[in-house]
Amino acid sequence: MATRTDAPTRREQILKEAARLFADRGFHGVGVDEIGAAVGISGPGLYRHFAGKDAMLAELLVGISGRLLTGAKRRLEEADGVAPEAVLDSLIEGHIDFALDDRPLITLHDRELDRLRDTDRKLVRQLQRQYVELWVGVVRELYPELAEPAARSAVHSVFGLLNSTPHLTRAGSLPGRAGTAGLLHRMARGAFAAAGTG
């Protein structure tokens, strides 16, 4: 995913702190005043940016699903004409960036997705399905003998592996970002290779 060099907006700061607090203590365990204090504004001041906690949660979960899909589409466009192995490597790298840099959002998705309104939850699922299908197409290009249902299962399994980062341990005790990213990448490629030759 592209890295921004400009400072985050106040809205982005609020979302980042909300994600961290929701992941640490649960959606109902965090008050608006606490989120405001984390970014240096009053709790009521948050309402200039969001209608409430539900709106923050929706923007976080819909937002990350949309960013993953957009990032994957961009990687596929940039990799036009490149060998399937390199395309898959690029997709894996993009997802690893998310898994290492947005760990609270993984926890939040696992715990709080059912709290979204039906329309927002359906949108998250729709974006996720599109994201999965991009991967399935690349995996089947690399392993054409792999049937579509098996390729889809393999993609979901690899997502489970990559999205395990919140459970690895505390961030400071991981073997360094580069080392963790390299390990996750090798494991993901190994999983796809095992599925493709099974």
Side-chain angles (χ1 to χ4, degrees):
M1 294 168 77
T3 325
R4 282 179 39 168
T5 55
D6 51 331
T9 66
R10 177 50 59 100
R11 189 178 179 86
E12 290 168 336
Q13 291 171 345
I14 292 168
L15 287 172
K16 181 178 179 182
E17 289 305 317
R20 180 183 64 78
L21 289 167
F22 292 159
D24 285 348
R25 303 214 318 271
F27 180 74
H28 287 303
V30 178
V32 171
D33 289 339
E34 294 171 86
I35 299 169
V39 295
I41 61 176
S42 69
L46 288 179
Y47 293 109
R48 289 195 299 270
H49 302 278
F50 296 96
K53 287 196 321 179
D54 290 336
M56 291 179 214
L57 181 64
E59 187 156 333
L60 285 165
L61 295 181
V62 172
I64 191 55
S65 298
R67 287 198 308 275
L68 283 169
L69 178 59
T70 299
K73 286 179 176 178
R74 178 182 47 79
R75 287 173 179 272
L76 289 180
E77 288 169 6
E78 291 171 353
D80 188 32
V82 176
E85 291 92 341
V87 179
L88 183 58
D89 282 337
S90 181
L91 287 177
I92 292 171
E93 287 164 12
H95 199 95
I96 288 173
D97 285 344
F98 156 68
L100 293 177
D101 298 338
D102 292 307
R103 294 166 71 189
L105 290 176
I106 297 172
T107 302
L108 199 58
H109 179 277
D110 289 346
R111 289 185 191 159
E112 312 291 356
L113 181 64
D114 287 343
R115 297 193 190 284
L116 293 181
R117 293 178 309 170
D118 284 347
T119 53
D120 290 326
R121 189 168 55 252
K122 285 176 183 174
L123 179 55
V124 168
R125 294 300 192 198
Q126 177 187 4
L127 293 167
Q128 290 174 340
R129 280 193 298 273
Q130 292 175 47
Y131 183 60
V132 167
E133 293 312 307
L134 289 178
W135 281 68
V136 168
V138 172
V139 169
R140 292 197 72 213
E141 188 175 355
L142 184 56
Y143 301 105
E145 69 283 3
L146 193 60
E148 189 173 306
R152 193 170 292 108
S153 294
V155 168
H156 281 290
S157 297
V158 167
F159 287 172
L161 167 72
L162 298 180
N163 291 347
S164 68
T165 54
H167 310 291
L168 293 179
T169 59
R170 293 183 184 162
S173 59
L174 292 172
R177 191 188 191 288
T180 302
L183 174 63
L184 290 171
H185 197 119
R186 291 191 301 275
M187 292 176 71
R189 282 302 301 268
F192 283 128
T197 57

